[in-house]
């Protein structure tokens, strides 16, 4: 009976995300994110929200939907996206280095952000721009096709999973270049944090699975590596994560009642790390249980239009990590040893507005 209930919840959640089809994939929305001509002279001010997007989508510059729902298979396109005159202007650039030179506040902390299922290019712009504005950080969005307007709900699950599984081929060179550029301080002084949400965690899982993580190891060039509500198999996760040595701190954010990942279990028949985590645990990882503040929630890091605001405790926590700091897991006002099998720490509700204010 519970499995049937979870199955229904999974598709109710999917229906909610599919309700965003008309909004994010409408002609009007795409026209609010115009594709500029390469080499367009622009002046991006510190007051303008600006992010970098590294996309592996096929590019069709002549179409309204200029980055559609297909992977190109030919590497990465880079864009600088900035707010101006009520629009999100999308400027193609030739390289990551060129994109970095156009960022107006290079010394802010960097969040390298990979989303999960259910995103058009425009949806990812919405997430990336909101994360930058909400937390006062530079964002580099790793964008891959994870939603198709031509597929039904279950078909989109497999569509997103397939594209996330092959995306490591495109994004590993990006991460490696970030490592190299950071070593010469071309990403400023704010530090780097990697944030993978839901199916986006498959990218890092595949890098390790294909024995490529040594390209990223060698130094601790990442402050925080965050596996957020990871939609990857729980089994063997500790062996995967224990091969990662490039991050000073590794966080695994989970929720035993996450209904979205409950649906992923019903489809895949595999326990998901973001929901059904159990021992053995990764030696270097810090496990944070979100259940006390999010109930059955799956995504608790952004305030988005049409959704309830995230809990203050969640915003405090993510602000700390996105700015490269360490969570105060021994502060008993904020955390206690987890009630869920003693795995990590429970993040506690707080009535503070934001700890960073």
């Amino acid at each position: 009976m519970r499995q049937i209930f979870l199955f229904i919840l999974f598709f109710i959640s999917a229906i909610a995300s599919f309700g965003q089809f008309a909004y994010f994939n409408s002609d009007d929305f795409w026209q609010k994110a115009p594709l500029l001509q390469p080499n367009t002279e622009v002046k991006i001010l510190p007051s303008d929200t600006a992010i970098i997007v590294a996309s592996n989508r096929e590019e069709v510059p002549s179409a309204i939907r200029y980055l559609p729902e297909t992977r190109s298979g030919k590497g990465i396109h880079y864009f600088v996206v900035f707010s101006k005159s009520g629009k999100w202007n999308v400027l193609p650039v030739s390289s990551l280095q060129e994109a970095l030179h156009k960022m107006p506040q290079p010394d802010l902390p960097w969040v390298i952000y990979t989303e999960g299922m259910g995103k058009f290019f425009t949806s990812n712009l919405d997430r990336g721009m909101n994360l930058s504005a909400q937390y006062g950080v530079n964002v580099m969005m790793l964008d891959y096709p994870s939603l198709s307007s031509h597929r039904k709900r279950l078909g989109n699950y497999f569509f997103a999973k397939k594209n996330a599984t092959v995306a490591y081929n495109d994004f590993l060179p990006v991460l490696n270049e970030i490592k190299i550029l950071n070593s010469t301080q071309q990403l400023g002084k704010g530090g780097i944090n990697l944030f993978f949400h839901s199916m986006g965690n498959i990218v890092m899982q595949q890098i390790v699975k294909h024995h490529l993580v040594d390209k990223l190891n060698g130094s601790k060039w990442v402050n925080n590596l965050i596996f957020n509500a990871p939609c990857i198999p729980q089994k063997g996760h500790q062996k995967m994560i224990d091969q990662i040595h490039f991050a000073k701190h590794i966080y695994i954010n989970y929720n035993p009642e996450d209904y979205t990942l409950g649906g992923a279990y019903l489809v895949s028949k595999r326990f998901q790390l973001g929901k059904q985590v159990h021992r053995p645990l990764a030696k270097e990882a810090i496990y944070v249980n979100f259940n006390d503040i999010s109930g059955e929630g799956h995504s608790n890091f952004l305030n988005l239009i049409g959704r309830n605001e995230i809990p203050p405790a969640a915003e405090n926590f993510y602000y700390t990590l996105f700015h490269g700091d360490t969570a105060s897991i021994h502060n008993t006002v904020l955390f206690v040893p987890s009630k869920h099998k003693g795995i990590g720490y429970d993040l506690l509700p707080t009535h503070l507005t934001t700890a960073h204010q």
Side-chain angles (χ1 to χ4, degrees), residues 9 59 88 100 119 125 134 137 148 152 156 159 185 205 210 227 260 262 274 276 286 312 314 330 355:
L9 277 176
E59 189 176 12
W88 292 341
L100 291 170
K119 308 297 181 295
L125 290 193
Q134 182 171 336
V137 294
S148 170
K152 295 183 179 180
N156 259 298
F159 173 79
Q185 297 186 331
Q205 176 212 31
H210 287 86
F227 293 88
T260 298
Q276 293 112 338
I286 299 168
H330 299 299

Side-chain angles (χ1 to χ4, degrees), residues 143-180:
D143 167 64
Y144 65 95
S146 62
L147 181 63
S148 170
S149 57
H150 307 295
R151 287 174 168 80
K152 295 183 179 180
R153 291 182 289 274
L154 188 58
N156 259 298
Y157 171 86
F158 293 108
F159 173 79
K161 187 173 182 179
K162 177 182 177 181
N163 279 309
T165 300
V166 298
Y168 79 95
N169 289 294
D170 304 310
F171 294 143
L172 176 60
V174 178
L175 294 173
N176 190 49
E177 187 172 4
I178 292 170
K179 175 186 175 182
I180 294 168

Side-chain angles (χ1 to χ4, degrees), residues 76-88:
I76 291 293
H77 303 288
Y78 287 104
F79 305 89
V80 175
V81 183
F82 60 98
S83 59
K84 185 80 72 175
S85 303
K87 294 185 177 181
W88 292 341

